[in-house]
Amino acid sequence: MAKTPRAWTGARTPSGLKRVRQAERRHAILQPRRTAAKTYVANALTAATSASDPEAAAIALAAAHAALDRAAKTGAIHANAAARRKSRLTLKFNAATGGVTVASGRVLNTTSKAQAAKAAKTRIAAGKANKAKGAQTAAGKARAAVSKTARAEAAAAATAASAATTEAPKAATKSTAAKSSTKKAPTKATAAKATAKKAPAKKTAAKS
């Protein structure tokens, strides 16, 4: 009896057949996301090279980054692969648009660390100032004016109180000095009387 070749060369066990079904289902779900990510990357590169509209090119780059992030989140591609593709896409995009210079595969920023830190400080200060101002409505402006006048009045009262407190000790010291001078004058008079009393004593001593 002649042997016939097998028509089916794939899995035959139940677990193997289940793995086949899982792979087909995952491929049907994840492959479109891989394709979409590649399409967005290609669109970003074409927008960067055409350089017709910088804003449209920036939007295309952001869409490509988002597509790569979605593909990595769902497991269509590895997270490190998504990061690598985003980095390479950004390098090519910047080189095409002239945003930064590319040398030896590294991005060289046009601004230094000190300038970036200074810009960040100014942004933080501006944000704090905007928060302190509050809503720029008529009622908000009125409240701000009232608070400014109240602060000015409080500052004036504080300065007046401090001046009064500094003048009071000076007046007290002047009064005490005057009292001490009046007290010293009788001591001189008593000293003169004592000398006058001592003089007759000396005369009596001479007579004896």
Side-chain angles (χ1 to χ4, degrees):
M1 189 174 176
K3 293 182 179 180
T4 57
R6 291 180 178 179
W8 174 252
T9 58
R12 288 182 177 273
T13 60
S15 61
L17 295 172
K18 182 180 179 181
R19 286 293 181 184
V20 170
R21 293 194 302 271
Q22 287 177 344
E24 289 176 355
R25 187 166 60 250
R26 285 182 61 80
H27 180 77
I29 294 170
L30 299 179
Q31 186 59 33
R33 301 186 181 185
R34 296 190 191 101
T35 306
K38 290 180 182 179
T39 304
Y40 279 112
V41 169
N43 292 340
L45 288 176
T46 54
T49 52
S50 63
S52 59
D53 189 3
E55 293 182 0
I59 292 170
L61 178 65
H65 284 184
L68 288 169
D69 289 335
R70 283 195 301 271
K73 186 177 180 180
T74 55
I77 58 175
H78 197 275
N80 291 351
R84 182 180 66 251
R85 291 183 186 182
K86 285 166 62 177
S87 177
R88 290 178 181 177
L89 173 62
T90 306
L91 285 171
K92 292 178 182 179
F93 184 88
N94 289 335
T97 55
V100 292
T101 57
V102 179
S104 68
R106 295 179 123 192
V107 179
L108 301 178
N109 292 327
T110 56
T111 58
S112 63
K113 290 183 179 180
Q115 291 175 347
K118 189 175 181 180
K121 286 182 180 178
T122 53
R123 284 197 302 272
I124 292 168
K128 288 182 179 178
N130 291 334
K131 287 181 181 177
K133 285 181 182 178
Q136 292 300 309
T137 58
K141 290 179 181 179
R143 284 196 298 271
V146 170
S147 62
K148 283 182 182 179
T149 54
R151 285 198 299 271
E153 290 176 359
T159 52
S162 62
T165 53
T166 52
E167 288 176 359
K170 288 181 181 178
T173 52
K174 286 181 181 179
S175 61
T176 52
K179 288 179 181 178
S180 61
S181 62
T182 53
K183 287 180 181 178
K184 286 179 181 177
T187 55
K188 289 181 180 178
T190 52
K193 288 180 182 178
T195 53
K197 287 180 180 179
K198 286 180 181 177
K202 287 180 180 179
K203 287 180 180 179
T204 54
K207 286 181 180 181
S208 62

